[in-house]
Amino acid sequence: MSEADLQALLITLQLAGVTTVILLLIGTPLAWWLAHARGRWLPAVEALVSLPLILPPTVVGFYLLVALAPQGPVGRVVEALGGPRLAFSFAGMVIGSVIYSLPFVVQPLQNAFRAIGPRPLEVAATLRAGPVDRFLSVALPLARHGFLTATVLGFAHTVGEFGVVLMIGGNIPGETQVLSIAIYDHVEALDYASAHKLSAGLLLLSFLVLLLLQRAGRSGGTRS
Amino acid sequence: MGRAGWLLLLWMLVLPVQAGEVLRVAVASNFLPVARLLAHSFEAETGHRVKLVPGATGRLYAQIVRGAPFDLFLAADRVRPQRLEREGRIVPGSRRTYALGRLVLWSPDPQRIRDGSGILRRGDFHRLAIANPRFAPYGRAAREVLERLGQWQALAPRLVRGENIAQAFHFVQSGNAELGFIAAAQWQALPAARRGSAWPVPANLHEPIEQQMVLLSPRPAARAFHAWLLRPESRTLVRRSGYEVPADE
């Protein structure tokens, strides 16, 4: 594997790792709220969260490029606050990946929280557990399988991302060139041997991740 | 649907067949606007229909090798058509240069590019967009320009690389890169108010961008469009659109 390909692999894993951590931090409260909230805004928020499932990644990438430009709505605010340029940067790709993988983390968590039902939490409440205590020592352990699924799906989906990072990454080797882009480059440059090598590696990695998920699901799956 | 409706549907299905044949033409994205104009005049004249499939030359080549059903391939370089010829995938003798591409360094900001290549030497910008020099012909030419100006090493970390020249154009147009090397044809196609500032790159700073085409099917309609693209009227249009054309062969 060439130096550039190795870098692309490292960036891909970094991007997927950072994205997954951020998604778990944002996704947990969001999924908790979605699992318990009622009201007329709920369907709208749920639809919004699921939107990236339907939208072509190029749509997300295109609007991100518009929004992050120095004259764009987000770019202007960031620039005014003295922040960095986000397009063609690792941070920009993280933003894109967080948006694009959001439903893959939120939906498993939401389902897991819903599956717990009100009963265990009520019992905990009668034992005088506070809301934070109830969440940490009752809801979290009961939803652990949901967390596992969410983590693996969020990570795997970011590894497999192509359209968004193609649009906002700028394909800078060692900075924003991820594995899927590197493969595409090899194909366009007619270097099919390198494309094969990377593709087969990615295929194997994805299979192992899913295998791991299946096994974990079987051993801890009684809860969900 | 009533009987009349079915008849109408049937008639609509039959109609395109009666009106002429349908051609599928793979075209390098930089040439798409001109190819559209040429296809329109061809359709009006002959009654055939031309479906244009734009893309990066390298990707279109890979698709053709895998059996994509294109009748004609308008590439952005000479390399891929030559390869197809060597591999025996083209109608013999059909590899012809239809346009010579020119580069423009462009910024949408009218004040930014004032002294030609000077801005590249000063480097007072954040990002410079080019097409990927590894496989995109306009990207390769942009790299040669930077090398001849002695700026390739210095500017390499600031380059953002589009998959093709259309994406490089979009990076600049959206304001995410201040500058970019784009095709002269793209720049000419802009409304005058949005042309900003530009430096037309002298042709001696890079190898000629010889855009060649090859016939992939021997169908008469495909041959007719191939010949149409080489007519004097077509060549005039190509020249007016920001390309040069080779001297008469």
Side-chain angles (χ1 to χ4, degrees):
Chain A
M1 204 192 261
S2 75
E3 175 81 30
D5 288 350
L6 201 66
Q7 274 185 332
L9 174 69
L10 288 179
I11 291 169
T12 305
L13 295 178
Q14 269 171 14
L15 178 65
V18 172
T19 301
T20 308
V21 170
I22 292 177
L23 274 175
L24 286 173
L25 292 176
I26 300 174
T28 305
L30 182 59
W32 184 258
W33 181 77
L34 285 173
H36 296 101
R38 273 178 201 86
R40 55 198 182 118
W41 290 109
L42 187 63
V45 176
E46 275 190 310
L48 212 59
V49 169
S50 311
L51 212 51
L53 286 176
I54 301 179
L55 283 182
T58 38
V59 172
V60 178
F62 179 74
Y63 278 126
L64 272 173
L65 210 49
V66 171
L68 297 183
Q71 312 88 337
V74 178
R76 203 179 306 179
V77 174
V78 173
E79 195 130 305
L81 296 174
R85 291 266 177 111
L86 288 173
F88 316 129
S89 73
F90 187 78
M93 291 204 302
V94 170
I95 293 174
S97 304
V98 162
I99 292 174
Y100 198 57
S101 295
L102 187 66
F104 289 82
V105 170
V106 169
Q107 290 192 347
L109 290 180
Q110 188 185 340
N111 290 338
F113 288 149
R114 233 179 234 157
I116 294 170
R119 191 79 187 117
L121 297 171
E122 284 167 10
V123 171
T126 58
L127 296 172
R128 272 181 284 162
V132 177
D133 191 16
R134 263 178 294 176
F135 178 76
L136 289 179
S137 47
V138 179
L140 274 192
L142 288 180
R144 67 182 183 281
H145 180 62
F147 274 95
L148 185 73
T149 311
T151 306
V152 174
L153 281 183
F155 189 89
H157 189 247
T158 308
V159 168
E161 215 309 278
F162 175 71
V164 176
V165 289
L166 178 75
M167 297 285 268
I168 64 167
N171 200 355
I172 306 169
E175 286 179 51
T176 61
Q177 189 183 65
V178 294
L179 217 49
S180 55
I181 304 278
I183 292 171
Y184 192 62
D185 270 13
H186 286 317
V187 173
E188 295 224 337
L190 314 183
D191 182 359
Y192 299 143
S194 299
H196 266 309
K197 236 181 276 172
L198 279 190
S199 301
L202 195 54
L203 195 75
L204 200 70
L205 182 75
S206 312
F207 178 74
L208 287 177
V209 165
L210 291 177
L211 190 71
L212 225 63
L213 174 69
Q214 292 297 330
R215 292 189 52 163
R218 199 153 294 173
S219 56
T222 46
R223 263 306 149 205
S224 64
Chain B
M1 202 178 326
R3 181 178 290 175
W6 282 110
L7 280 175
L8 187 68
L9 188 70
L10 194 68
W11 181 69
M12 278 161 54
L13 287 174
V14 170
L15 190 67
V17 178
Q18 283 179 335
E21 292 183 49
V22 177
L23 292 175
R24 293 195 194 85
V25 177
V27 53
S29 44
N30 78 82
F31 198 69
L32 183 65
V34 189
R36 271 203 193 112
L37 295 175
L38 293 167
H40 281 318
S41 62
F42 178 74
E43 286 174 339
E45 182 86 12
T46 62
H48 297 311
R49 286 222 314 126
V50 178
K51 280 191 194 167
L52 296 169
V53 181
T57 296
R59 173 159 52 83
L60 292 171
Y61 167 84
Q63 290 172 340
I64 289 165
V65 171
R66 300 288 184 278
F70 297 125
D71 297 294
L72 190 66
F73 177 30
L74 299 174
D77 68 2
R78 200 177 52 180
V79 180
R80 266 55 74 105
Q82 272 174 342
R83 259 181 101 131
L84 290 170
E85 186 175 41
R86 265 206 312 278
E87 293 162 354
R89 292 178 199 277
I90 71 167
V91 174
S94 68
R95 183 167 65 82
R96 302 287 291 274
T97 302
Y98 64 92
L100 295 165
R102 295 294 306 271
L103 273 180
V104 165
L105 180 70
W106 173 55
S107 167
D109 177 354
Q111 306 301 322
R112 175 107 29 195
I113 303 172
R114 291 163 174 226
D115 51 353
S117 63
I119 187 164
L120 295 173
R121 294 207 180 82
R122 286 193 305 278
D124 51 349
F125 55 86
H126 192 72
R127 291 286 188 201
L128 171 66
I130 64 174
N132 197 325
R134 202 175 149 208
F135 46 77
Y138 282 86
R140 192 171 302 142
R143 179 185 174 144
E144 287 164 2
V145 172
L146 290 175
E147 281 172 345
R148 291 206 190 163
L149 295 173
Q151 300 299 319
W152 173 253
Q153 296 288 345
L155 293 179
R158 295 208 240 157
L159 297 177
V160 288
R161 303 175 307 163
E163 187 233 338
N164 55 36
I165 198 70
Q167 202 186 9
F169 177 89
H170 182 231
F171 284 161
V172 181
Q173 191 270 335
S174 64
N176 286 293
E178 296 98 320
L179 296 178
F181 280 104
I182 62 168
Q186 293 174 316
W187 187 73
Q188 284 213 5
L190 283 169
R194 287 177 45 209
R195 285 188 187 167
S197 51
W199 172 50
V201 178
N204 62 4
L205 285 182
H206 60 83
E207 295 296 311
I209 307 170
E210 257 187 272
Q211 304 198 193
Q212 294 195 330
M213 62 174 170
V214 286
L215 255 180
L216 301 167
S217 96
R219 294 164 59 194
R223 284 180 192 276
F225 190 51
H226 182 265
W228 187 268
L229 296 173
L230 295 170
R231 291 189 327 159
E233 296 91 325
S234 303
R235 290 157 61 93
T236 307
L237 178 72
V238 171
R239 195 180 306 116
R240 275 207 216 113
S241 308
Y243 298 90
E244 283 172 22
V245 288
D248 258 325
E249 298 167 47

